[in-house]
Amino acid sequence: MFRYEQKYEINSYQYTELRSVLRQMLKADDHADEAGQYMIRSLYFDDMYRSAYYEKMDGIYQRKKYRIRIYGCSDAVIHLECKRKEGAYIFKESCRLTKEEYENILSGDGAFLLEKESQMAKEFYLDMRMNLLKPEVIVDYEREPYVFDAGTVRITFDKNVRACRANQDIFDQEIASYEIYPQDKMILEIKFTGYLPERIRKVFQVRNLTQTSASKYCMCVDRLSEIL
């Protein structure tokens, strides 16, 4: 099912004030740690023409991108994901991988994906073979998530967004990374299915936040291009 997505770039003052309000209306995600957040690391793939990058930058209405995502640099949960986008709507498909399967993909041996029940996994393999998908960049950040059942609302603060070279070990906590934002800036994301409840919508409406199409993937590709 496609979900609606809104993104905003906010500063630390806006974050502190919004968090205070949202905590009274929503509950913290069950997967969050004692600090109310968790670390996300994603290895993004693109083809030799950087199609996913340029389609985003050019504002192509219908597009997709692939990534392998882990949490807290652990190999306990590894997901191959495809994020599809049509205008302001997103749809995410996910397939569980073992560490051995992840390593096989990196070595170019993805034939096992054809045996998965996931149609997306099969499509990824075909894109690997036909469009020469390869690892492009690693994206790190800390996510502070809140959820609200009505309208399946999910609101997240994505902090300390960092870019890492794609040839590094995603399970290594000490890999070199490069900041995307100053310390006082972050990305606020609002995702919901169907509708956004009025009282939540008003929280953001009265604060007159400026919506952005910021892509963590594209920003990290740009950051590495500046440095390397």
Side-chain angles (χ1 to χ4, degrees):
M1 181 181 295
F2 277 87
R3 290 163 58 78
Y4 193 76
E5 179 183 64
Q6 298 173 345
K7 292 183 181 181
Y8 303 89
E9 290 182 342
I10 62 173
N11 58 41
S12 56
Y13 172 80
Q14 292 169 315
Y15 158 70
T16 301
E17 197 265 339
L18 276 170
R19 182 178 61 170
S20 176
V21 174
L22 292 174
R23 280 181 168 178
Q24 301 176 42
M25 305 169 62
L26 293 81
K27 68 172 186 175
D29 188 290
D30 292 336
H31 296 98
D33 60 19
E34 293 180 357
Q37 61 186 26
Y38 51 80
M39 177 192 174
I40 293 177
R41 173 169 287 170
S42 299
L43 172 62
Y44 282 86
F45 291 76
D46 213 337
D47 61 27
M48 61 187 297
Y49 302 108
R50 279 191 174 169
S51 297
Y53 174 88
Y54 286 111
E55 285 177 1
K56 166 61 181 177
M57 299 301 287
D58 292 341
I60 301 301
Y61 180 81
Q62 190 175 64
R63 56 187 187 271
K64 67 180 180 182
K65 57 178 176 279
Y66 293 106
R67 65 195 178 202
I68 291 178
R69 173 163 287 186
I70 63 172
Y71 301 88
C73 301
S74 169
D75 62 6
V77 177
I78 307 173
H79 283 144
L80 170 64
E81 298 180 347
C82 178
K83 184 177 180 181
R84 304 180 190 274
K85 193 166 179 68
E86 293 188 9
Y89 292 89
I90 61 167
F91 177 68
K92 187 175 77 173
E93 299 172 273
S94 181
C95 174
R96 191 77 173 258
L97 297 175
T98 65
K99 188 174 183 181
E100 181 181 4
E101 289 173 334
Y102 160 76
E103 291 170 347
N104 286 342
I105 288 174
L106 289 195
S107 69
D109 179 15
F112 70 91
L113 292 167
L114 296 175
E115 305 302 319
K116 296 278 188 182
E117 292 185 5
S118 167
Q119 185 61 36
M120 179 272 295
K122 296 180 177 68
E123 184 178 333
F124 174 75
Y125 175 69
L126 292 177
D127 279 338
M128 279 182 64
R129 301 287 293 179
M130 298 176 63
N131 298 321
L132 304 180
L133 289 180
K134 64 179 181 61
E136 186 68 32
V137 69
I138 296 171
V139 177
D140 280 2
Y141 55 95
E142 280 79 48
R143 168 163 283 179
E144 183 178 334
Y146 296 91
V147 294
F148 187 78
D149 289 337
T152 58
V153 178
R154 184 174 177 83
I155 297 175
T156 58
F157 298 100
D158 292 344
K159 300 174 281 186
N160 195 18
V161 183
R162 305 177 300 283
C164 316
R165 295 190 305 275
N167 61 356
Q168 299 184 93
D169 179 4
I170 66 171
F171 305 107
D172 182 358
Q173 298 184 29
E174 306 301 323
I175 63 175
S177 62
Y178 306 91
E179 290 184 345
I180 300 302
Y181 286 115
Q183 287 293 323
D184 67 336
K185 289 192 179 295
M186 67 190 73
I187 298 175
L188 163 68
E189 293 189 1
I190 307 169
K191 299 184 181 75
F192 56 92
T193 304
Y195 71 99
L196 186 64
E198 181 70 10
R199 65 193 188 106
I200 296 179
R201 185 179 62 81
K202 284 183 177 179
V203 168
F204 301 99
Q205 187 179 49
V206 299
R207 285 162 178 81
N208 196 31
L209 300 177
T210 302
Q211 197 165 340
T212 179
S213 61
S215 162
K216 289 187 281 288
Y217 166 63
C218 291
M219 289 191 295
C220 286
V221 169
D222 288 342
R223 184 72 172 121
L224 291 185
S225 296
E226 293 172 1
I227 296 171
L228 305 177

